Amino acid sequence: MRSAHGKFSRWILFLVLALSMIGSSAVLAAGEVKIGFLGALTGNVATYGIQTLRGMEMAADEINTAGGVLGQKLVIVKEDDRGDKTEIANVTQKFISRDHVSAIIGDPTTGGTKVAAAIAQENKVILLSAGAVGAGVVEIGDFIFRNTVIDSIAAPAVTKYIVEQFKWKRIALVTSINNDYSVGLSRIFEEAVKDNGGGIMVKENVSDGDTDFSAQVTKLKAAKPDGMIFTGYYTEGALLMKELRKQGLNINMVGGDGLLSPVLSELGGKAVEGSMVYAGFSPERPSPATKKFLDAYRAKYHEEADMFVAQGYDAVKIVVAAMKRAKSTEPQGYRKELAETKGFPGVSGNTTFLPNREPLKSPICLLVVRNGKFGLLERIPVSPKK
Amino acid sequence: MINAYYLQVLTIMGINVIMALGLNLITGVTGQLSLGHAAFMSIGAYAAAILTLNYGAPFWLALLFGALVAAFFGVLLGFPTLRLSGDYLAIATMGFGEITRVILLNLDIAGRALGISGIPHSSNFSTVWILAVLSIVTMVFVGNSRLGRAFLAIREDEIAAEAMGVNSTYYKIQAFALGSFFAGLGGGLYAHYITYLNPSDFGFMKSIEILNMVVLGGMGSIPGTILGAGVLTAVPEVLRAVREYRMLFYGGLLVFMMIFKPNGLLGGVHFSTIRNWLIRIFKGSAGSPAGGSRGGTGAGEDAKTRVQEG
């Protein structure tokens, strides 16, 4: 019995050794700086991830052609997280303890970023999200950054613009109650309207997945608003506008980048003409640097670059610029320099990190639907002081 | 020291083992198909998280509370639905899952659609696996008890069980309560490991994921469920090597398994069976010919335990 037991444990030992050998195949190559891409490449939110990754890879190619980072080659390590919280946690941990990345860029969604940021902060690795727009991200810790147009800065700027330029005084606010993004954005808009001297005349709730908005629109109509702020996504936005027009309410809609999809006008048709959406990026009337980026992207992927591509591209460049200034690729070494990023000229606007690490991006693009397409209405500059 | 990445995958594996064991008791042992296990997980997760965040409760108390709340809802769901069976019960549990998700989406204390973030990171490898081992022991114990026999009897033939004096509704509710308890426990551990909760993470697909673990491992088998949870936690990570084709392989694996091993990896295998295998292997290697182990008490014991544990 004793010898049999010994034999058994030898097998276990062998098995453990074999497994650990499979695991340790990823050896850290000398002379490489790694940046991890965290995002979904498959599943429901894959478009954000794929676009971000393309932007990141383009930036890395340019950086490597120009000699790399402090003499080292920049490598983008990519992993698919399917938008699943457990996988996001796993990928983040893998980047940190197996790939030894210098920075993680992702996840493009707010919820995913919160999961990853908690792990990155604990391990003191820089995490910069190029897509998380919701509240409560950078508060997680001093290693957490983001490079996005955040609603708490963009929505007040847009509100100021519409109250001043369009003379919207009586405003209707519609929230998609089961959508975290929408609930958060509505709170910001509500406050901004108050600060800018407008009035929320009526507040209505809808839900993602609803198709009948007649009851809500009837109530909106009774309040006689000058305009409507809708903070949800494009599908509900389009159907809501259709119902508005059906009931003869001829006002325009303003919303965040949740409305930013070709589906808005595909579904809404004429009803969404004149609807406005703010975004961090517009390929129209580009600066020379942005034009170069757009042309390069078009040459490679035969399509127009969108906000996620631009933000992914800028995210890599911002991190690398900080590494170069600090002459260090260690997160602890360049964290301070990254936090001091001021007016970084990116293709998605100029980025400044505020003392609380929130990005101040200027200008913000207000887009309007014209002939079924998003066109640039105005670039609204944002001043550092709120 | 073991790499933190592997440690994390192993920890999540432990959480999944606990939740899958809960579902195994309901679906595998008692034979009641539940498609709402993620709902109990979310109830446990939210209850535990709210207790630690809003009331500063200690971690272990929050875990216990989460598990008990989940068990309570298991009983609550059990009363009206467990008179149903088969497909009807499956649909009812699925509906319960949806209701739970929608309620969490609209509950202020649960942070509505924003979810709950900043939950303290209290779960770790050792707490998870201590609780996982405790769960396994409990499951073995329940399986060998009067309760477990009643569960099995209901699975095998509900009418015959009733005829023998087993109050099937009463026992089914017990199975649901116990199964939900472990789902809630797993949920509490999950909440304090991932540190962020959102109702969208506990949808129908999550229930299916846990059900997959039970079915792949072998319905009704505790070692099978553990193996199923282990394999389905590890496979998506191992398959990272094939990149974009990862989920294709994952799905392919499930289809392949169901065709060639419809009873699951360890269908019908119990700890006692494994013990008997080991005894046989070592007896065999000690010199006696293959036939030797078939005689004597070995086979008799094997057959006896098989009858006992189904």
Side-chain angles (χ1 to χ4, degrees):
Chain A
M1 199 59 203
R2 197 182 180 84
S3 70
H5 212 86
K7 189 168 180 179
F8 184 58
S9 50
R10 268 206 300 281
W11 270 102
I12 295 277
L13 192 71
F14 173 76
L15 205 71
V16 169
L17 277 177
L19 281 174
S20 61
M21 266 157 84
I22 298 168
S24 58
S25 56
V27 183
L28 187 67
E32 278 187 356
V33 180
K34 289 185 178 173
I35 292 182
F37 158 79
L38 172 72
L41 297 174
T42 57
N44 289 338
V45 285
T47 44
Y48 307 140
I50 292 167
Q51 304 289 56
T52 308
L53 178 61
R54 283 180 178 178
M56 284 172 66
E57 285 181 331
M58 243 175 87
D61 286 347
E62 280 176 25
I63 289 163
N64 285 331
T65 320
V69 186
L70 304 171
Q72 291 170 298
K73 189 170 179 267
L74 177 64
V75 178
I76 305 289
V77 193
K78 53 179 179 182
E79 290 295 355
D80 174 25
D81 65 29
R82 290 191 298 142
D84 178 278
K85 300 290 188 301
T86 313
E87 289 216 4
I88 289 169
N90 284 342
V91 169
T92 310
Q93 193 64 60
K94 175 184 172 284
F95 281 155
I96 294 168
S97 47
R98 242 180 92 179
D99 300 322
H100 304 286
V101 295
S102 298
I104 296 167
I105 291 178
D107 182 283
T109 66
T110 304
T113 301
K114 283 182 179 173
V115 172
I119 299 169
Q121 177 66 26
E122 209 171 286
N123 290 282
K124 299 201 183 331
V125 172
I126 298 283
L127 181 133
L128 192 153
S129 172
V133 290
V137 171
V138 292
E139 287 87 336
I140 291 169
D142 55 355
F143 281 81
I144 312 305
F145 295 82
R146 56 174 157 181
N147 171 43
T148 52
V149 167
I150 52 167
D151 297 322
S152 60
I153 286 169
V158 168
T159 309
K160 188 166 184 281
Y161 181 83
I162 56 175
V163 171
E164 285 174 2
Q165 300 290 317
F166 302 150
K167 311 280 179 249
W168 283 16
K169 297 290 175 204
R170 303 169 58 85
I171 294 172
L173 177 66
V174 181
T175 310
S176 182
I177 199 72
N178 62 347
N179 175 331
D180 54 354
Y181 160 76
S182 177
V183 172
L185 185 55
S186 282
R187 280 186 205 149
I188 300 165
F189 264 118
E190 200 175 342
E191 202 165 300
V193 169
K194 219 184 290 165
D195 290 348
N196 286 292
I200 304 273
M201 286 302 130
V202 55
K203 283 198 277 186
E204 276 303 313
N205 290 337
V206 298
S207 292
D208 277 8
D210 280 2
T211 49
D212 180 11
F213 302 105
S214 48
Q216 288 94 338
V217 171
T218 308
K219 285 190 200 152
L220 293 190
K221 211 178 153 188
K224 297 194 175 55
D226 299 325
M228 176 179 73
I229 295 170
F230 175 61
T231 54
Y233 285 159
Y234 46 83
T235 312
E236 289 72 27
L239 296 175
L240 185 63
M241 284 311 288
K242 273 189 140 169
E243 183 64 33
L244 238 63
R245 294 290 180 264
K246 203 172 122 194
Q247 296 201 19
L249 191 55
N250 207 13
I251 55 171
N252 283 327
M253 169 171 72
V254 167
D257 58 12
L259 293 176
L260 193 59
S261 162
V263 178
L264 183 72
S265 47
E266 279 165 25
L267 206 62
K270 267 165 109 179
V272 297
E273 288 288 312
S275 291
M276 285 162 283
V277 175
Y278 67 77
F281 181 72
S282 165
E284 282 178 58
R285 308 192 290 252
S287 68
T290 310
K291 190 172 181 306
K292 217 180 110 199
F293 157 79
L294 288 171
D295 291 344
Y297 186 81
R298 207 178 297 117
K300 194 166 177 190
Y301 294 105
H302 308 289
E303 59 176 52
E304 206 67 56
D306 68 4
M307 185 180 71
F308 287 97
V309 179
Q311 286 177 352
Y313 177 90
D314 281 347
V316 172
K317 294 244 162 152
I318 289 170
V319 167
V320 167
M323 286 174 175
K324 283 181 174 167
R325 286 201 303 275
K327 298 191 173 53
S328 166
T329 59
E330 288 298 314
Q332 310 244 28
Y334 73 87
R335 190 192 65 80
K336 220 176 126 250
E337 300 288 338
L338 182 62
E340 283 165 3
T341 299
K342 257 197 184 64
F344 180 90
V347 295
S348 63
N350 298 331
T351 302
T352 300
F353 287 125
L354 300 175
N356 62 358
R357 293 175 310 285
E358 287 285 31
L360 187 124
K361 296 196 65 153
S362 181
I364 284 161
C365 304
L366 189 62
L367 312 180
V368 63
V369 180
R370 279 193 208 113
N371 302 320
K373 284 201 164 58
F374 287 106
L376 181 64
L377 181 69
E378 185 78 78
R379 282 204 163 88
I380 306 171
V382 186
S383 51
K385 218 164 158 43
K386 204 182 159 188
Chain B
M1 208 194 88
I2 187 164
N3 186 314
Y5 167 55
Y6 299 125
L7 205 63
Q8 175 168 319
V9 175
L10 287 174
T11 309
I12 290 168
M13 208 179 265
I15 296 174
N16 285 338
V17 163
I18 295 173
M19 290 190 299
L21 281 174
L23 184 63
N24 180 52
L25 193 72
I26 298 171
T27 301
V29 179
T30 319
Q32 307 301 309
L33 183 56
S34 164
L35 297 178
H37 210 58
F40 297 114
M41 175 194 177
S42 68
I43 290 169
Y46 271 90
I50 288 168
L51 207 63
T52 45
L53 269 183
N54 296 8
Y55 301 97
F59 175 50
W60 61 269
L61 188 69
L63 281 183
L64 186 68
F65 178 72
L68 286 175
V69 172
F72 171 75
F73 277 95
V75 174
L76 210 65
L77 173 72
F79 272 109
T81 57
L82 284 176
R83 288 157 218 282
L84 307 172
S85 62
D87 306 347
Y88 306 104
L89 176 71
I91 300 292
T93 52
M94 202 172 106
F96 176 73
E98 268 311 285
I99 291 170
T100 309
R101 198 176 61 81
V102 171
I103 287 179
L104 288 174
L105 264 177
N106 290 286
L107 210 60
D108 266 328
I109 195 168
R112 292 181 176 239
L114 291 171
I116 298 182
S117 50
I119 304 163
H121 187 185
S122 316
S123 303
N124 57 32
F125 178 80
S126 34
T127 40
V128 165
W129 276 99
I130 287 171
L131 288 170
V133 169
L134 278 176
S135 309
I136 295 167
V137 171
T138 313
M139 286 299 167
V140 172
F141 180 74
V142 168
N144 287 328
S145 70
R146 182 190 157 80
L147 197 64
R149 301 278 188 276
F151 291 162
L152 276 182
I154 291 169
R155 180 186 72 183
E156 292 305 324
D157 192 330
E158 203 174 325
I159 296 167
E162 288 266 12
M164 297 306 289
V166 174
N167 181 345
S168 71
T169 307
Y170 171 76
Y171 282 105
K172 280 199 252 175
I173 289 173
Q174 288 229 354
F176 251 78
L178 264 172
S180 319
F181 180 88
F182 286 99
L185 181 65
L189 287 167
Y190 171 90
H192 290 83
Y193 195 73
I194 299 291
T195 71
Y196 174 71
L197 295 177
N198 191 302
S200 63
D201 302 331
F202 303 101
F204 180 55
M205 281 319 291
K206 189 78 193 175
S207 295
I208 294 297
E209 209 181 301
I210 307 170
L211 185 66
N212 268 347
M213 293 171 185
V214 177
V215 175
L216 183 93
M219 292 230 268
S221 156
I222 295 170
T225 303
I226 298 165
L227 187 70
V231 167
L232 287 189
T233 313
V235 157
E237 294 304 313
V238 173
L239 284 180
R240 288 202 180 280
V242 293
R243 302 237 156 247
E244 282 84 355
Y245 300 101
R246 192 164 63 110
M247 284 301 127
L248 195 78
F249 275 82
Y250 181 90
L253 181 83
L254 289 181
V255 173
F256 187 83
M257 273 296 306
M258 286 303 107
I259 292 174
F260 292 100
K261 203 112 179 43
N263 288 332
L265 288 169
L266 293 178
V269 175
H270 299 273
F271 278 121
S272 54
T273 334
I274 294 177
R275 192 189 62 211
N276 290 335
W277 283 351
L278 291 178
I279 291 171
R280 210 176 289 172
I281 288 166
F282 293 138
K283 273 194 181 152
S285 68
S288 57
S293 64
R294 289 197 59 84
T297 55
E301 243 178 47
D302 191 22
K304 203 175 98 199
T305 48
R306 204 171 273 166
V307 167
Q308 276 177 354
E309 295 181 26

